[in-house]
Amino acid sequence: MSSTFSLDPGADQLAVRDWLHGFAADVIRPAAAEWDEREETPWPVIQEAAKLGIYSLDFYAQQYFDPSGVGIPIAMEELFWGDAGIGLSIVGTTLAAVAVLANGTDEQIGTWTPQMFGTPDDVKVAAFCSSEPDAGSDVSALRTRAVYDQAKDEWVLNGTKTWATNGGIAAVHVVVATVDAELGARGHASFVVPPGTPGLSQGQKFKKHGIRASHTAEVVLDDVRVPGSCLLGGKEKLDERLARAREGVRKSGKGNAAMATFEASRPAVGAQAIGIARAAYEVALDYARTREQFGRPIIDNQGVAFQLADMKTRIDAARLLVWRASWMAANNQPFTAAEGSMSKLYAGETAKWVTAQAMQILGGNGFTREYPVERMHRDSAIYSIFEGTSEIQRLVIARAISGMPIR
Ligand SMILES: Cc1cc2nc3c(=O)[nH]c(=O)nc-3n(C[C@H](O)[C@H](O)[C@H](O)COP(=O)(O)OP(=O)(O)OC[C@H]3O[C@@H](n4cnc5c(N)ncnc54)[C@H](O)[C@@H]3O)c2cc1C
């Protein structure tokens, strides 16, 4: 690792953190219980974020290019400290935006990313649709087909996507489909489905255990026709890639490039989990100081105090892993031990553990919806599932450190 390694966010980034914390405390947290109960997208909160510039591509680009390298995790931690369901409703669009930024041409980026966010007066969301009923951890198994209709220069998409955040309510959907099933993951391509395209519909909306303000649904694609220009990266690039794959040629470093993309994005998800963990820890610490039993605050018992000490230690350790991986991504350091996956694994498991401890410290109150920790515990559970389950993170880390094709 470079000798210039530093995790100092700098004064500018700390000012952004404080500004976001204010929004999380004043707008997100007070709305959290209501939207969790309603299990609906919190449009008014997204709109409020848009008015302040927090819900916009510019905002995320600024955090991404922050010289400290930790702009994105700081932003994620603060928003998700407010509430994870609302937080995901605010940042879910970036999944689709990142897919366009990573694979699209400049023209595609310029056309589609503004439509994903809409305007503060007319906010929109976007969805990234990769997972399918039979293709979760094993993305190479996806069945959604994209067939090129040369006469019309159109792609025809057919299939069923599942678990899509904002699926069906999005203005723009980005859909991953196979153009050559025999090539497995190397035969995949990503397509933009523009607003109002016939044939795309929402399937069932899932009723979830946590992050209930965030909309998750199936997306059905029935002869969905999109213009040739909606293939991200363009046809020429796709044809070249498919030809190389058919010849069995692997572009040098290709595997590493794909892995590096995941390694760079996973710390942001880890930071969301840390936001939840920190929120629950703070509630528990406050409760332990003020709740009295046997004539003294419960924090006077080592059993409770040590629990809080472990919670704080694990949260800080998780943040250091997340910030290290973000710094590595910003400084183009190789992820030789899958440090991005490591950070997401540890932060996700930490959030589940810390929120469970917080419920215990609150006793009966922790088990009720009068206090936020049971919601935080429910929300934390997704962090060992989406964006690669904890088992898949371990698989990636094990492969990286062993150099073996561990299956
Ligand atoms: C709320 C929510 C939002 C989501 N948002 C999106 C989204 O916006 N877009 C999108 O495309 N997807 C999204 N997903 C999908 C998510 O990424 C998948 O659920 C996840 O990848 C796991 O896939 P699966 O659910 O099919 O589980 P499976 O892959 O069936 O896994 C089941 C269990 O088996 C384990 N397992 C599988 N393979 C292995 C192995 N090789 N070794 C060890 N253990 C293994 C897993 O770790 C897991 O514990 C979302 C999911 C949820 C629940």
Side-chain angles (χ1 to χ4, degrees), residues 23 45-56 117 119-121 123:
F23 180 74
V45 185
I46 302 176
Q47 187 158 32
E48 193 70 23
K51 283 189 178 142
L52 293 173
I54 295 169
Y55 184 69
S56 72
F117 289 89
T119 63
D121 288 329
V123 284

Side-chain angles (χ1 to χ4, degrees), residues 95 128 130-131 136-137 163 165 208 216 382 385-386 389 391:
L95 276 178
F128 176 69
S130 172
S131 302
S137 301
W163 306 125
T165 299
K208 303 195 300 293
T216 317
I382 193 61
I385 298 173
F386 70 4
T389 65
E391 291 74 24

Side-chain angles (χ1 to χ4, degrees), residues 204-260:
Q204 71 160 312
K205 176 185 170 182
F206 295 103
K207 289 180 81 67
K208 303 195 300 293
H209 177 67
I211 53 164
R212 301 197 306 184
S214 170
H215 172 105
T216 317
E218 290 176 333
V219 172
V220 181
L221 302 147
D222 183 13
D223 277 337
V224 171
R225 285 185 165 267
V226 297
S229 58
C230 285
L231 165 65
L232 289 178
K235 182 120 183 0
E236 203 175 313
K237 214 169 149 190
L238 173 69
D239 288 342
E240 282 171 17
R241 183 159 60 79
L242 293 177
R244 276 199 307 272
R246 285 182 192 120
E247 285 166 19
V249 181
R250 283 199 174 269
K251 196 172 157 190
S252 141
K254 182 86 172 79
N256 289 343
M259 185 174 153

Side-chain angles (χ1 to χ4, degrees), residues 157-172:
L157 307 177
N158 276 291
T160 300
K161 293 293 179 182
T162 194
W163 306 125
T165 299
N166 297 334
I169 61 165
V172 176

Side-chain angles (χ1 to χ4, degrees), residues 253-267 329 333-335:
K254 182 86 172 79
N256 289 343
M259 185 174 153
T261 308
F262 281 126
E263 291 302 314
S265 62
R266 284 181 175 151
Q333 300 287 310
F335 291 97

